[in-house]
């Protein structure tokens, strides 16, 4: 039996008794326009503020126009751009009003259909959004209010903290490259070890190290590292300071800047650890957490971020919908005899793709079944995949595993990972 498409399903929700409202979202003021099920505009455009008074005004207007058209249902469409849409969507949903989302790319492409003009305005976009909803070109709103909401916020927080961490580390590297380029020859990972971090706080420049001497540096390091510190490492650092080609101007300011950046880096690291603890606590509240954590190679943080991006796996009908959310659905550009290769659409959550990429790398390194599949995809005789392509397949397999185990409430079993066809392919290879 042929599966009903999303657009066909959406169109069935638009009946002659339906009024559609399109909203162009902004920070302070929104524009709304109404159309009936045929796309004929109802009344004039209305502007309302992005506050409670404005929300009450638009709800009253919705009720009035529905009565005017004897409509039984209202569907409100908006673009999920930025974060300003969430407050209005949440308010309307609590009032029992159906809110749907329209892809901003679709709005951009469709707004020329009526006036053959690429001009953009808030009033025009509101009407375009309403007509896209009328044509069924929308998708359902997902605003979790449970553990998945916590995971989504924690995921966003962790991503933000990591970006800040990388920025600090890059800045520190740039300063050290200028003032003490030999430092990383002694400490390969200068921002991970306690000894290195203590040195950067107390004596980050060659002149500081030479002033303290070997014993002085060793004394400072022991304040941060309780276990025995290798004198050899300290000796290497002193020798590097003696032969350093780093610049010798602005040293006082450079020392101050390094120390402040290290303090900030330590704060960010503490916040990351606390965020990951919160993720673990949130996962403990989920019944499916124990099943998903049984997947070899999937840890607490990676699972927390994955569920933070996807939400409840059980809200999807199948794993393909999860892959589409990530922009992992395949597209092809072909015409006549011209055939192009396929690629992923990337029309989805960018952060979800990043999370899946990191998970796939870990899976290939630690999960024997995924490693076997990865090697097969890259070396098969017909249509061998490149590294990144194979990792995408692994990512899609992870989504399938998450969906299946959550739905069946089963733990990971290696013997059930592949179907008969795939098992035969792997054995033949």
């Amino acid at each position: 039996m042929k599966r009903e498409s999303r657009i066909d399903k959406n169109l069935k929700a638009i009946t002659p008794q339906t009024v559609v409202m399109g909203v162009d979202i902004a920070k302070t003021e929104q524009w709304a326009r109404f159309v009936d099920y045929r796309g004929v505009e109802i009344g004039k455009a209305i502007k309302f503020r992005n506050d409670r008074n404005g929300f009450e005004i638009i709800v009253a207007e919705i009720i009035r126009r529905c009565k005017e058209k004897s409509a039984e249902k209202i569907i409100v469409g908006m673009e999920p751009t930025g974060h300003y849409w969430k407050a209005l969507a949440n308010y309307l949903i609590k009032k029992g009003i159906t809110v749907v989302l329209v892809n901003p790319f679709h709005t951009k492409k469709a707004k020329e259909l009526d006036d053959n003009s690429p001009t953009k305005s808030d009033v025009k976009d509101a009407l375009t959004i309403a007509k896209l909803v009328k044509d069924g070109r929308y998708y359902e709103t997902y605003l979790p209010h449970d553990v998945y909401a916590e995971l989504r916020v924690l995921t966003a927080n962790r991503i933000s903290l990591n970006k800040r961490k990388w920025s600090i580390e890059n800045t520190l590297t740039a300063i050290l490259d200028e003032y003490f380029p030999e430092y990383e020859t002694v400490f390969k990972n200068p921002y991970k070890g306690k000894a290195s971090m203590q040195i950067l706080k107390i004596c980050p420049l060659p002149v500081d190290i030479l002033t303290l001497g070997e014993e002085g540096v060793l004394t400072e390091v022991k304040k941060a590292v309780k276990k025995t510190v290798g004198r050899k490492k300290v000796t290497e650092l002193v020798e590097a300071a003696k032969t350093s080609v780093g610049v010798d101007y602005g040293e006082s300011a450079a020392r101050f800047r390094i120390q402040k950046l290290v303090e900030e880096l330590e704060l960010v690291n503490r916040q990351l650890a606390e965020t990951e603890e919160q993720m673990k606590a949130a996962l403990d509240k989920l019944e499916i957490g124990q099943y998903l954590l049984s997947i070899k190679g999937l840890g607490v943080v990676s699972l927390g971020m994955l569920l933070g991006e996807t939400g409840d796996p059980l809200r999807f009908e199948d794993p393909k919908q999860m892959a589409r959310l990530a922009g992992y659905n395949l597209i092809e550009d072909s015409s006549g005899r011209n055939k192009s290769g396929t690629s992923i659409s990337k029309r989805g959550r960018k952060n979800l793709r990043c999370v899946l990429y990191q998970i796939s790398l870990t899976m290939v390194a630690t999960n024997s079944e995924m490693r076997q599949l990865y090697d097969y995809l890259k070396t098969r005789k017909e249509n061998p995949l490149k590294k990144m392509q194979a990792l995408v397949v692994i990512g899609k397999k992870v989504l399938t595993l998450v969906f299946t185990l959550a739905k069946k409430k089963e733990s990971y079993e290696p013997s059930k990972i592949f179907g008969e066809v795939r098992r035969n392919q792997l054995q033949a290879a």
Side-chain angles (χ1 to χ4, degrees):
M1 183 178 179
K2 185 178 178 182
R3 182 178 170 181
E4 185 178 45
S5 71
R6 176 177 61 86
I7 292 181
D8 287 344
K9 182 180 178 181
N10 291 347
L11 283 171
K12 289 181 178 180
I14 310 296
T15 67
Q17 288 74 43
T18 302
V19 167
V20 177
M21 182 180 87
V23 184
D24 185 80
I25 298 293
K27 182 176 181 178
T28 56
E29 293 181 330
Q30 279 84 236
W31 279 95
R33 296 178 78 170
F34 296 79
V35 299
D36 63 15
Y37 75 102
R38 298 166 299 174
V40 177
E41 188 167 10
I42 303 171
K44 295 181 180 180
I46 181 171
K47 182 167 66 172
F48 62 98
R49 292 190 60 80
N50 192 21
D51 55 28
R52 178 170 289 276
N53 184 56
F55 291 175
E56 291 174 351
I57 289 173
I58 198 61
V59 168
E61 192 66 21
I62 287 172
I63 295 172
R64 186 183 72 79
R65 299 204 185 188
C66 284
K67 286 183 178 179
E68 180 183 309
K69 299 297 291 185
S70 299
E72 301 174 354
K73 183 179 181 182
I74 175 74
I75 298 180
V76 177
M78 60 185 70
E79 295 176 330
T81 51
H83 55 273
Y84 301 119
W85 66 277
K86 293 182 180 179
L88 176 59
N90 186 60
Y91 183 85
L92 295 177
I93 290 171
K94 286 185 176 181
K95 293 292 184 179
I97 296 172
T98 301
V99 177
V100 299
L101 301 178
V102 172
N103 192 320
F105 182 79
H106 294 169
T107 305
K108 182 179 179 181
K109 291 294 183 181
K111 65 184 179 182
E112 298 184 32
L113 296 177
D114 291 335
D115 57 6
N116 195 33
S117 172
T119 57
K120 172 180 172 54
S121 71
D122 296 343
V123 180
K124 178 180 177 180
D125 286 355
L127 183 60
T128 302
I129 291 168
K131 291 188 175 182
L132 285 170
V133 173
K134 180 268 298 183
D135 291 335
R137 303 187 187 281
Y138 63 86
Y139 52 96
E140 294 179 359
T141 304
Y142 179 65
L143 288 174
H145 287 73
D146 49 16
V147 178
Y148 295 101
E150 294 180 20
L151 287 172
R152 177 160 292 188
V153 175
L154 290 169
T155 297
N157 187 53
R158 189 175 186 276
I159 291 171
S160 177
L161 287 172
N162 266 324
K163 287 180 180 179
R164 183 59 192 149
K165 179 181 178 179
W166 298 330
S167 175
I168 295 169
E169 291 180 351
N170 288 337
T171 303
L172 279 169
T173 298
I175 297 172
L176 289 175
D177 285 345
E178 185 177 358
Y179 285 87
F180 196 177
E182 298 81 8
Y183 190 85
E184 287 193 20
T185 64
V186 181
F187 294 99
K188 304 299 180 184
N189 297 305
Y191 316 120
K192 289 187 177 180
K194 292 182 179 179
S196 175
M197 293 290 281
Q198 178 70 1
I199 290 170
L200 290 175
K201 282 193 290 185
I202 304 301
C203 49
L205 304 180
V207 64
D208 303 325
I209 293 169
L210 294 177
T211 300
L212 286 175
E214 191 171 307
E215 292 299 329
V217 174
L218 193 61
T219 300
E220 291 297 335
V221 170
K222 285 182 177 179
K223 293 178 181 179
V225 184
K226 294 181 180 179
K227 64 180 182 179
T228 303
V229 180
R231 182 178 291 273
K232 181 180 177 181
K233 183 69 70 174
V234 174
T235 302
E236 289 178 13
L237 186 64
V238 172
E239 290 301 317
K242 289 178 181 179
T243 58
S244 177
V245 295
V247 301
D248 58 359
Y249 50 77
E251 290 178 325
S252 178
R255 182 184 304 108
F256 175 79
R257 192 178 182 198
I258 289 173
Q259 291 168 342
K260 294 302 142 185
L261 285 169
V262 170
E263 289 177 10
E264 188 177 358
L265 182 58
E266 288 179 332
L267 173 61
V268 170
N269 284 332
R270 286 197 301 271
Q271 291 175 337
L272 276 169
E274 291 169 3
T275 300
E276 291 169 4
E277 282 298 318
Q278 290 290 318
M279 279 187 169
K280 183 179 182 305
L283 285 175
D284 288 341
K285 300 176 185 177
L286 290 177
E287 181 185 0
I288 63 171
Q290 58 180 315
Y291 306 115
L292 302 184
L293 285 173
S294 68
I295 302 173
K296 188 176 180 181
L298 191 61
V300 170
V301 175
S302 54
L303 176 59
M305 294 188 69
L306 180 63
L307 295 181
E309 289 295 322
T310 63
D312 187 356
L314 299 180
R315 72 188 180 94
F316 299 97
E317 295 179 8
D318 57 51
K320 291 181 180 179
Q321 291 182 338
M322 298 180 74
R324 185 176 289 275
L325 180 68
Y328 268 6
N329 51 304
L330 297 179
I331 58 172
E332 179 182 356
D333 186 12
S334 302
S335 177
R337 296 182 179 180
N338 297 322
K339 301 290 182 181
S340 71
T342 56
S343 62
I344 60 174
S345 69
K346 294 187 179 180
R347 296 278 180 84
R349 298 181 71 89
K350 180 181 177 181
N351 289 336
L352 177 55
R353 290 196 299 275
C354 292
V355 171
L356 286 171
Y357 173 72
Q358 294 298 329
I359 291 175
S360 298
L361 288 176
T362 304
M363 285 285 190
V364 169
T366 61
N367 187 302
S368 57
E369 292 78 39
M370 294 301 174
R371 181 72 201 194
Q372 186 181 13
L373 175 59
Y374 176 74
D375 290 338
Y376 164 74
L377 293 170
K378 292 198 305 175
T379 59
R380 63 188 182 187
K381 292 182 180 179
E382 295 184 7
N383 189 29
L385 301 182
K386 296 179 181 178
K387 176 183 175 180
M388 289 300 297
Q389 293 173 321
L391 287 174
V392 168
V393 177
I394 298 298
K396 294 177 74 173
K397 185 65 177 177
V398 170
L399 291 176
T400 300
L401 278 172
V402 168
F403 176 83
T404 304
L405 296 183
K407 186 174 183 179
K408 295 183 177 180
K409 295 183 179 179
E410 294 180 355
S411 295
Y412 179 83
E413 291 186 27
S415 60
K416 297 182 179 180
I417 300 306
F418 304 119
E420 183 178 354
V421 174
R422 181 66 83 186
R423 283 199 301 270
N424 292 336
Q425 291 174 337
L426 296 174
Q427 290 172 0

